[in-house]
Amino acid sequence: MVSTDAWPRLASIEEHTHLKSAFTDVVALIVLLLFIWLRLAREKDNAVPYSVEIPRPCLDGWQAESEEKEVEDKQIAYRTPSKAFIRCHCPANGKFLGAAPADKPRDIDLAVSKAGAAQRQWARTSFGQRRRVLNTLLRYILDHQEVIATAACLDTGKTKIDGFLGEVLVTAEKLKWTVLHGEKALKPERRPTNILLAYKVNEVRWEPLGVVAACVSWNYPFHNVIGPIISAIFAGNAIVVKGSEQTAWSTRFFIEIARSALEACGHSADLIQPIVCWPDAASHLTAHPGIAHLTFIGSRRVGRLVAAAAADNLIPVCMELGGKDAAIVLNDTRDLDKVSSIIMRGVFQSAGQNCIGIERVIACKDVYDRLVGILQRRIKLLRVGDALEDEKQGREVDVGAMISDDTFDALEHLVDDAVKNGARCLVGGKRHDPHPTYARLRGHYFSPTLLVDVTPEMRIARQETFAPICLVMKAVDVDDAIRIANATEYGLGASVFGTSPVALERVVSEVQAGMVSVNDFAVYYAVQLPFGGVKGSGNYV
């Protein structure tokens, strides 16, 4: 027999079941919508495949063509006299790579105008759209790193490992960092208020500048060109990039990689404008009224000219002007073999043509002789040559070519002057002995050099060599090491090796440098810390 009060209970159970079912449906719908939103967000950031025409010298089986024939062919194509071309050769072997048309002031005007028109549209894009462009560029770089490294090697003479490490890896890391953290860095910032304006909200907003420009050096032709592009376009700017005439051949190819990423994502390639010109036309860009900000990488001498030109229109300038970076090895350093490996990389990477390369090794007296002995043995074993050609013959190369032989006389004079004043040259000290292959092909090689017992008064201890020269200087203690390190007009980067936290902190605090690595070399660059120097090495503006 059923009690009459069972029906209300059944109704209550049925109502609860319906409510539970409705709640489940709502949760399922929310989950589905969240999944769709995440999928669309990922697709918005997803890389888009694209292709860029590979330069012929990067292809297997390439044979250098007649220099005169290529220039003549381009005269017909561009209807310009031959003097309007920059003739490009491989520093490792002298082979002719190609002729790049040299831009004139009117070309610079047109580039700035096109960039400005494209920037007005680009400034309205979302961070998601910009991330998609950078992800697209990153994917292309990773998929084509062999070609990119080869092009950099051909145009600079560097080794393949220097191409992958100094060009591809650091560029990929900059892209990755910007994709992951760029939006956060550019988000509006709340600032504290005061009692008088307690009812107000204070906010700092980061807005695009417009058209910015970068004049970059030849030693890292891919990274130096792409690096400013990454920062500029993610911040909503357009950019005009002037590569060095020394690497004109690869500059246009590298910039086309970035321009094509924009096009692949449905944006105007005019946002990025390449300029390759002779120095006499460069001042038209650095003083251009259409430029809102200028980045310059180069020598102090040229940097002064750039700053003077930019001052005409009050263009803000960020400059990196090289250095005489010191690596300080303290008395309590334990593993000198490991430290010597780091020093070798810091000195001889890219044949010493590295803005933040180690130009001086300052070793305290207790470790000085042992470190010199280790370095002497290792530097003697360094193999010099054309990495791409020797690789085909099964020969390994440790140190590649220099960009040209223009500095060889001066370098030899600096070494000779130091020896006359008490230094000892234990390895090298002069241009590389003629090699049957390299002499015939006109490669530019300077012997890996070890110069010890160098003192701060010597010219070679004060002037940037930008060459495969390892200078070793003796310090009595930490105070003396800091004094020696600060005895130049430069202040870009530095390294310190040791175990005492107190001594390490003293060096970090008292060495006059924009960046310092502890028990390592230049690691600040790989993690996207601010890059810049003090004194004669530039600024952070």
Side-chain angles (χ1 to χ4, degrees):
M1 195 174 174
V2 179
S3 172
T4 56
D5 62 356
W7 294 107
R9 286 200 299 272
L10 288 174
S12 177
I13 293 171
E14 185 177 354
E15 182 180 351
H16 176 72
T17 303
H18 284 310
L19 288 173
K20 186 176 180 180
S21 176
F23 177 75
T24 303
D25 291 343
V26 170
V27 170
L29 180 61
I30 291 173
V31 171
L32 178 62
L33 290 174
L34 181 62
F35 174 78
I36 294 172
W37 180 82
L38 290 172
R39 179 71 177 267
L40 290 174
R42 282 199 299 268
E43 287 180 357
K44 193 175 182 180
D45 286 359
N46 277 352
V48 180
Y50 69 97
S51 62
V52 178
E53 183 178 357
I54 305 300
R56 285 180 298 165
C58 295
L59 302 175
D60 291 336
W62 168 75
Q63 296 292 326
E65 292 188 2
S66 163
E67 184 172 339
E68 290 72 21
K69 181 181 183 301
E70 177 154 341
V71 173
E72 182 180 337
D73 289 345
K74 287 195 172 182
Q75 275 186 267
I76 296 172
Y78 291 96
R79 300 181 184 278
T80 54
S82 59
K83 67 180 181 179
F85 291 92
I86 300 173
R87 303 182 183 214
C88 310
H89 302 83
C90 175
N93 52 40
K95 290 182 179 179
F96 178 63
L97 296 173
D103 291 315
K104 302 296 183 184
R106 62 179 178 273
D107 301 311
I108 294 172
D109 290 338
L110 182 60
V112 173
S113 176
K114 285 183 175 181
Q119 191 274 335
R120 287 188 285 275
Q121 294 291 327
W122 178 254
R124 293 194 285 269
T125 57
S126 66
F127 284 118
Q129 290 173 300
R130 298 172 194 176
R131 273 194 297 270
R132 191 182 199 194
V133 172
L134 296 193
N135 277 325
T136 296
L137 177 58
L138 175 60
R139 174 48 54 196
Y140 182 91
I141 291 171
L142 295 177
D143 289 345
H144 298 83
Q145 55 186 287
E146 182 76 27
V147 171
I148 291 169
T150 297
C153 291
L154 285 168
D155 220 4
T156 64
K158 64 179 59 180
T159 63
K160 224 33 176 325
I161 186 71
D162 287 338
F164 284 116
L165 179 65
E167 307 279 7
V168 176
L169 176 63
V170 291
T171 304
E173 282 298 322
K174 185 178 181 75
L175 279 163
K176 181 181 175 183
W177 187 95
T178 307
V179 166
L180 293 176
H181 309 292
E183 182 176 357
K184 181 180 178 181
L186 294 173
K187 285 179 64 176
E189 300 176 9
R190 289 290 179 90
R191 296 291 173 88
T193 186
N194 55 28
I195 295 176
L196 182 63
L197 297 175
Y199 60 95
K200 295 288 188 180
V201 173
N202 303 322
E203 186 176 81
V204 175
R205 295 189 178 188
W206 304 98
E207 297 181 348
L209 293 172
V211 180
V212 300
C215 300
V216 300
S217 58
W218 47 261
N219 54 333
Y220 290 95
F222 180 69
H223 177 66
N224 285 351
V225 160
I226 299 297
I229 289 174
I230 295 168
S231 300
I233 66 174
F234 192 79
N237 300 304
I239 184 168
V240 179
V241 185
K242 182 198 129 8
S244 170
E245 67 276 9
Q246 297 274 22
T247 50
W249 171 76
S250 63
T251 293
R252 290 191 182 276
F253 167 53
F254 291 150
I255 294 179
E256 188 56 34
I257 291 174
R259 285 167 54 86
S260 296
L262 281 167
E263 287 188 323
C265 296
H267 305 288
S268 173
D270 286 345
L271 194 71
I272 302 170
Q273 292 292 323
I275 292 294
V276 175
C277 64
W278 294 109
D280 59 354
S283 60
H284 191 74
L285 174 62
T286 55
H288 203 287
I291 297 299
H293 184 276
L294 176 64
T295 297
F296 173 77
I297 305 173
S299 69
R300 293 180 66 190
R301 180 185 65 82
V302 178
R304 290 188 178 96
L305 299 175
V306 169
D312 286 344
N313 286 295
L314 301 178
I315 301 171
V317 182
C318 175
M319 293 186 149
E320 191 265 276
L321 305 175
K324 194 70 179 172
D325 291 14
I328 296 175
V329 186
L330 301 177
N331 280 325
D332 62 353
T333 303
R334 291 172 182 166
D335 192 343
L336 288 180
D337 283 322
K338 180 179 178 181
V339 170
S340 72
S341 294
I342 298 173
I343 290 173
M344 293 283 286
R345 178 167 63 87
V347 173
F348 296 106
Q349 181 175 317
S350 291
Q353 301 166 116
N354 186 3
C355 302
I356 52 173
I358 296 175
E359 289 253 345
R360 296 173 295 157
V361 179
I362 303 171
C364 290
K365 58 183 179 61
D366 292 351
V367 297
Y368 183 87
D369 291 334
R370 282 185 293 150
L371 182 61
V372 167
I374 295 171
L375 290 173
Q376 182 177 4
R377 289 194 299 272
R378 299 188 70 170
I379 294 172
K380 279 183 177 179
L381 298 175
L382 290 176
R383 298 159 293 189
V384 177
D386 179 347
L388 296 181
E389 291 298 324
D390 284 6
E391 185 182 78
K392 296 175 184 177
Q393 305 299 324
R395 296 189 295 265
E396 294 186 5
V397 171
D398 303 306
V399 180
M402 294 186 67
I403 195 70
S404 77
D405 58 3
D406 290 347
T407 62
F408 285 6
D409 287 341
L411 292 172
E412 289 174 345
H413 289 155
L414 285 173
V415 173
D416 291 343
D417 177 72
V419 171
K420 288 177 184 178
N421 285 281
R424 292 180 293 144
C425 185
L426 302 182
V427 184
K430 58 184 179 179
R431 63 198 74 200
H432 193 58
D433 292 332
H435 183 284
T437 302
Y438 309 136
R440 176 175 59 83
L441 296 175
R442 299 177 293 160
H444 307 308
Y445 298 91
F446 198 87
S447 297
T449 297
L450 176 62
L451 192 66
V452 304
D453 299 345
V454 176
T455 60
E457 297 76 23
M458 295 176 183
R459 287 194 299 145
I460 200 167
R462 293 180 280 110
Q463 296 181 20
E464 185 179 32
T465 58
F466 225 55
I469 299 177
C470 181
L471 305 182
V472 188
M473 311 171 76
K474 183 184 288 187
V476 177
D477 51 23
V478 177
D479 289 333
D480 195 33
I482 294 171
R483 179 188 65 81
I484 295 171
N486 292 338
T488 75
E489 296 178 337
Y490 293 99
L492 188 55
S495 299
V496 58
F497 300 88
T499 57
S500 167
V502 175
L504 292 171
E505 180 58 33
R506 274 204 60 200
V507 173
V508 171
S509 299
E510 297 181 25
V511 164
Q512 296 167 354
M515 305 160 290
V516 182
S517 288
V518 177
N519 288 319
D520 215 322
F521 159 71
V523 288
Y524 40 75
Y525 202 71
V527 293
Q528 307 307 313
L529 288 174
F531 184 88
V534 298
K535 301 198 297 187
S537 288
N539 56 44
Y540 285 100
V541 175

